[in-house]
Amino acid sequence: MMFRNEFKVVDIHGHLPYSLSFIKKHELFDEYNKERSKRMMLTWDFPIPESEKETDENDNLPLMKRWEKELDKYNIGTLNFLTAESNDVMASQIKKNPARFTGFAYHSIESENAREELERAIDELGLKGYKLFGPLVNREFHDPAFKELWKFIADRKLPVLIHFGMLGRAGGIVNHQNISPLSLFQVAREYPEIPFIIPHFGAGYYQELLHLCWSCPNIYIDTSGSNQWVRWMPYHLDLEILFRKTYELIGSERILFGTDSNGFPRGYAYRYLQEQVKVCREINMREDDIENIFGNNARKLLNI
């Protein structure tokens, strides 16, 4: 029992299958990526790819039934998916069990109908927010072309989750005009009604993320993933330091738990939950703070 009473975790950060190709296609990059991926799977004891293992009774279940079984197995209340092949696919999948699943819209902010598509995703499809990748947006976030979109989001007080920092596995993006959370500074200040969620503790841009949080009370930090990026910082960071310093600066009300669970055979990345709860208890967080981080904050933002 990781939590008291009947508390249920809400995970803000999962993925349904989607297309995202930005890693340079070359034999050297492919081999490098494969080697690093295998090492990570061994480190976290993740299962082998389905193509290499014997099938079991769960392999033939519909996707969302498999996810339901995963949530039941680990006593997770709700999993919020951020991406799918389209907003329509996202809506059709989460509607199979809206008590356990929620979803965000995911489409290009640079498309001509970005605002209209987001309005449709919210009002017609029932999605809860908007997901973006900063290093894939080639205009500044405060570009006038986005003004109507930001105004719509602010009017609705929709949560927006934007990935900043390193993107992808080995061989991915490490340089871009929108790679730092500080690229959101002007928009976050102009639209304080928008709760902006930055995942993975900034994925290599932790100092910049803390500065943004210090300035803007509408910035939330998502804890998702292995956070192995800390190994490539020029100074020591680990999960305990990330939680302690974040908690000291912004308290528990702006920290959101996530795993970055993204498919099978790995399924729900329960190891990440275990590691994060362990750290919070080791730094003597109050139970109320732990419940804020691992569910109650997300319930408020998602209105569930």
Side-chain angles (χ1 to χ4, degrees), residues 76-136:
I76 307 299
T78 304
L79 176 56
N80 181 63
F81 291 105
L82 298 170
T83 58
E85 285 294 350
S86 70
N87 293 335
D88 291 288
V89 170
M90 174 69 80
S92 68
Q93 295 286 41
I94 64 174
K95 283 178 180 176
K96 293 174 181 177
N97 192 341
R100 307 298 298 280
F101 306 120
T102 57
F104 276 22
Y106 169 61
H107 57 273
S108 173
I109 192 175
E110 296 177 271
S111 62
E112 291 184 4
N113 67 334
R115 191 202 68 80
E116 290 79 9
E117 174 60 14
L118 182 58
E119 184 173 3
R120 185 183 77 90
I122 302 301
D123 292 345
E124 297 181 24
L125 301 181
L127 303 186
K128 296 287 189 178
Y130 192 25
K131 156 74 173 181
L132 295 168
F133 290 95
L136 299 182

Side-chain angles (χ1 to χ4, degrees), residues 38-207:
K38 286 182 178 178
R39 190 186 309 175
M40 181 181 176
M41 289 170 66
L42 289 171
T43 300
W44 289 93
D45 193 28
F46 287 148
I48 61 176
E50 290 188 330
S51 60
E52 301 175 21
K53 75 178 184 68
E54 295 182 4
T55 59
D56 61 39
E57 61 181 7
N58 292 324
D59 292 342
N60 295 320
L61 288 175
L63 177 62
M64 301 315 284
K65 283 295 182 184
R66 294 187 76 176
W67 276 119
E68 284 180 29
K69 292 191 71 168
E70 287 289 286
L71 299 194
D72 290 342
K73 178 179 178 181
Y74 297 114
N75 199 32
I76 307 299
T78 304
L79 176 56
N80 181 63
F81 291 105
L82 298 170
T83 58
E85 285 294 350
S86 70
N87 293 335
D88 291 288
V89 170
M90 174 69 80
S92 68
Q93 295 286 41
I94 64 174
K95 283 178 180 176
K96 293 174 181 177
N97 192 341
R100 307 298 298 280
F101 306 120
T102 57
F104 276 22
Y106 169 61
H107 57 273
S108 173
I109 192 175
E110 296 177 271
S111 62
E112 291 184 4
N113 67 334
R115 191 202 68 80
E116 290 79 9
E117 174 60 14
L118 182 58
E119 184 173 3
R120 185 183 77 90
I122 302 301
D123 292 345
E124 297 181 24
L125 301 181
L127 303 186
K128 296 287 189 178
Y130 192 25
K131 156 74 173 181
L132 295 168
F133 290 95
L136 299 182
V137 177
N138 292 314
R139 294 182 179 183
E140 294 178 323
F141 283 107
H142 54 273
D143 190 299
F146 301 149
K147 192 171 187 65
E148 290 303 313
L149 175 67
W150 294 129
K151 287 176 61 178
F152 170 78
I153 294 172
D155 288 344
R156 299 293 186 91
K157 297 181 172 59
L158 299 173
V160 178
L161 189 147
I162 309 178
H163 176 113
F164 291 103
M166 293 181 285
L167 181 57
R169 296 183 178 181
I173 296 175
V174 293
N175 184 40
H176 189 275
Q177 67 176 7
N178 290 324
I179 203 166
S180 167
L182 291 176
S183 64
L184 187 65
F185 174 70
Q186 292 188 47
V187 171
R189 297 277 291 189
E190 186 173 353
Y191 300 99
E193 305 89 352
I194 301 176
F196 287 102
I197 305 167
I198 313 302
H200 318 306
F201 290 102
Y205 288 78
Y206 182 56
Q207 175 177 304

Side-chain angles (χ1 to χ4, degrees), residues 230 233-239 241 245:
V230 299
M233 299 299 288
Y235 46 84
H236 178 69
L237 278 178
D238 57 30
L239 197 60
I241 293 172
K245 287 188 173 293

